[in-house]
Amino acid sequence: MLHVPASHGMTLPLPHLYERVARHVPPMEWEIISGDIQAILDLKRRRNAILLAHNYQSPEIFHTVADIVGDSLALAREAAATDADVILLAGVHFMAETAKVLNPDKVVLIPDEKAGCSLAESIRPEDVLALKAKYPGVPVVTYVNTSAAVKAVSDVCCTSGNAKKVVEALGVPRVIMIPDEYLARNIAAQTDVEIISWHGRCEVHERFTPMDIAEIRDIYPDVTVIAHPECPPDVVAASDFSGSTAEMVGFVADKRPARVALVTECSMGDNVAVHYPEIDFVKPCNLCPHMKRITLSNIRRALETMGPEVTVDPALLPGARLSVERMLAIR
Ligand code: 13P
Ligand code: SF4
């Protein structure tokens, strides 16, 4: 292990990795967590494992042990393409399930099985079947933030990064879009396709209000406001741009605003800020308690014990896989 001098005269381990998170992790904390980081790096090599991390993971996971980082769409694409033997999802359960659906013969690990999602919890397969019976022939576009069982009875999946494209690719005048009511309404505002929605909400994004945006603009009149499309439509309308977490990163990279407010989960701003020290990040953030269940110590434990392993009922695999693959085929 390489060491560099720390501010208190001691040496710091893994200096090349510490540089990436120095803004967020004090040297004393680094000395504690670097043991887990080194162990994870060694275990990944030994297990031929790939670690996929969502943009909402904490900087000490995102910038040190992750092989691939991105939004749900990017993580699904990477899961479909990997030749690793083991996939560890530093994200929430539906993301790991999607990876398993695409790789039924690989080992897929999630460090904490309780890392759920309020959207995935909001709808069951029987609800989808009832919607289909109520609107015969209307295709069901299902956000990836759902269980494999729900995907299995859907026609095609979408993410916040491709929802409009998927809805329009179907070439029909009307679709059912589940389960996020706000995402459905935000997409409906951008397309002529009629959208029938469900009443699911993201517990993190539903809490933002137009008043939050007004307050930020009052304090920072020059701020550029970017909101995730799981936010209420009046929040999106009050923002300058809306897009998936990867589209938010792309916007910051392209436009380089002097000051930006990311209206989304807290770690997003921290992770992007590492690459743009010249940009002032205003963070009106809410924490996703599910994403925050993933830690360096449970990632290490998952790779040591090869569990908890994500499984999907084989009966659900063909239907769920078709929905995800149809989405991935839409470019
Ligand atoms: P993205 O697909 O934009 O990364 O969003 C996933 C998610 O869970 C946001 O809350
Ligand atoms: Fe689910 Fe919202 Fe957390 Fe994303 S931020 S995982 S949508 S609860």
Side-chain angles (χ1 to χ4, degrees), residues 56 92 94 116-119 145 202-205 230 265 288 290-291:
Y56 292 163
V92 291
F94 75 80
C117 170
S118 64
L119 283 168
N145 300 40
C202 162
E203 69 189 79
V204 176
H205 292 93
E230 289 169 8
E265 213 271 345
C288 174
H290 310 289
M291 290 280 181

Side-chain angles (χ1 to χ4, degrees), residues 52 68-79 159 246:
L52 308 181
I68 302 288
V69 295
D71 64 358
S72 323
L73 182 59
L75 299 186
R77 286 200 191 287
E78 290 296 335
T159 71

